[in-house]
Amino acid sequence: MYDTLSSEEVHLIKTAAAFAAGEIEPYATDWELQRRVPTETFKAAADAGLTGLLVPKLLGGRDASHIVVAKVLEELSQACLAFTFGLWVHNNLVNVIARNGSQHQIDRYLPEMLAGQRVGAFCITEPGTGSDATAISTLAEKVSNGWRLNGEKAWVTNSVCADVFAVYAQTNPDSGWRGIACFLVDGNVQGLERGVPYTMSGGHAMGVSGLRIEDILVPETSMLFGPGDGFKAAMKAINLARTFVAALCCGILKASLEAALTYCAGRQAFGKPILANQGLQWELADVATDLEAARLLLYRAAFALDTGDDAISESAHAKKFASRVAFTGISQCMQAMGAAGLRTDTPLFRHLATAKMTHYMDGTTEIQNVVISREILREHGIRAE
């Protein structure tokens, strides 16, 4: 892979690997056990140039290809998927503002977000609205001096520490998806109330919580996407995110496989390393094959994005398969290590929990099947229900 990349791209990937080893890996277990969101590490990531991966260079970003970003995220997630996912969400919003925002929005938000001084978050999911984004009920009412927002959001990554929220809201309930717009809302605005951080099986470094929005007044200049364009932008961003969730899955599966191989090579039983047993070798060989297959689907989707394709089916295939093999493969790695795989001084307990979470991120596995089915049936002239 490296033979096809420029020296600048290779340097960025190596920077990510070094950052993961020095700034994430030594602290990730403590973050999880203490349920802490490491806001200081966002600033360190910015100093390393990891907060504007897709942002044009003229605006201070890296302008990296999707293939390179996928590799960067794979390197980072080997240390901690939870923090890496939060960092990606931030990157995603920075990129959206850079490429779609007004000059006012770019000037107001981009410098501090690139510097890691302000953290971004998306607000799409609601307590009663998960996979069906067209059913958003948060209301945006037009008033004389801008818009009044009311509603409730759920599962907001980075909510605990975010300073800039991209809030998707319905401007006309009778219009369905055509009425959905997106507004940039400051985290300290009156009427925005963050919920208590969710207690989950893992992934606490994501800083996930709900959000109450009560009579928030925002100016006209806060609108990032107008009615209708908001929904289209959300769907485009989700296709992108699905590809990169697959990259995160590849990262934690690789890290778990390496941990299992290292342990099993050093663990003696019946006078020989347990890795000398063919049954164990074959089980881990299956994990290695699944990792290679997941990577091929991942980079196929990233390549499609780099060519300007929406990569709808490619991203769905990649996310569905990578999340599946990450969960089963990490479980196999834990089994290979025996009871040692359960210890919190190994990373597998964190990786297994977040592997399960990837089955829900940016569309459930079942939604990926819906997307894939539509593409398959379309080829045969059948419209999916």
Side-chain angles (χ1 to χ4, degrees), residues 17-300:
F19 184 84
E23 301 292 338
I24 302 178
E25 180 65 36
Y27 313 107
T29 294
D30 285 342
W31 295 342
E32 181 54 45
L33 296 178
Q34 297 169 13
R35 298 178 179 175
R36 193 171 76 81
V37 181
T39 54
E40 71 283 356
T41 312
F42 267 97
K43 181 62 170 64
D47 293 340
L50 299 174
T51 49
L53 295 173
L54 290 169
V55 173
K57 289 182 179 179
L58 288 175
L59 294 176
R62 292 281 197 167
D63 202 15
S65 69
H66 294 89
I67 286 178
V68 170
V69 173
K71 186 59 181 172
V72 165
L73 295 177
E74 184 182 344
E75 292 290 343
L76 294 172
S77 63
Q78 289 181 57
C80 179
L81 183 147
F83 173 78
T84 304
F85 185 70
L87 182 62
W88 157 245
V89 168
H90 175 77
N91 263 275
N92 196 0
L93 183 53
V94 175
N95 181 54
V96 169
I97 294 172
R99 296 184 182 274
N100 301 279
S102 66
Q103 191 60 51
H104 168 77
Q105 292 166 345
I106 290 172
D107 292 342
R108 180 175 182 181
Y109 294 110
L110 215 60
E112 290 184 332
M113 293 183 77
L114 284 172
Q117 296 167 356
R118 302 182 80 177
V119 175
F122 285 92
C123 304
I124 301 176
T125 302
E126 298 179 354
T129 305
S131 299
D132 183 8
T134 63
I136 285 174
S137 62
T138 295
L139 188 63
E141 179 188 5
K142 189 72 180 74
V143 293
S144 60
N145 56 344
W147 295 84
R148 178 183 290 111
L149 308 182
N150 280 282
E152 187 174 358
K153 297 295 182 178
W155 296 101
V156 181
T157 299
N158 291 339
S159 177
V160 170
C161 61
D163 307 284
V164 184
F165 293 90
V167 177
Y168 287 79
Q170 178 60 260
T171 63
N172 183 355
D174 295 330
S175 298
W177 67 267
R178 293 176 179 83
I180 295 174
C182 178
F183 302 85
L184 294 175
V185 178
D186 290 349
N188 60 357
V189 70
Q190 185 175 355
L192 188 148
E193 180 183 348
R194 306 165 202 254
V196 176
Y198 294 160
T199 299
M200 305 178 292
S201 60
H204 291 94
M206 296 181 196
V208 181
S209 80
L211 202 68
R212 289 190 61 83
I213 300 167
E214 187 172 349
D215 286 335
I216 292 178
L217 292 174
V218 294
E220 191 71 43
T221 55
S222 71
M223 182 180 283
L224 180 60
F225 295 106
D229 290 335
F231 179 79
K232 293 177 183 178
M235 293 303 98
K236 183 176 181 179
I238 285 176
N239 289 333
L240 187 69
R242 287 171 181 167
T243 297
F244 292 142
V245 168
L248 304 183
C249 290
C250 289
I252 56 175
L253 184 56
K254 179 187 177 184
S256 299
L257 179 59
E258 290 180 349
L261 288 168
T262 300
Y263 177 83
C264 294
R267 175 75 163 88
Q268 296 282 323
F270 304 103
K272 61 181 180 181
I274 60 174
L275 193 57
N277 294 298
Q278 188 180 69
L280 185 56
Q281 295 169 12
W282 285 14
E283 185 171 3
L284 294 179
D286 282 342
V287 175
T289 299
D290 284 341
L291 174 58
E292 291 302 312
R295 276 178 168 155
L296 288 173
L297 285 172
L298 161 63
Y299 290 109
R300 176 171 173 259

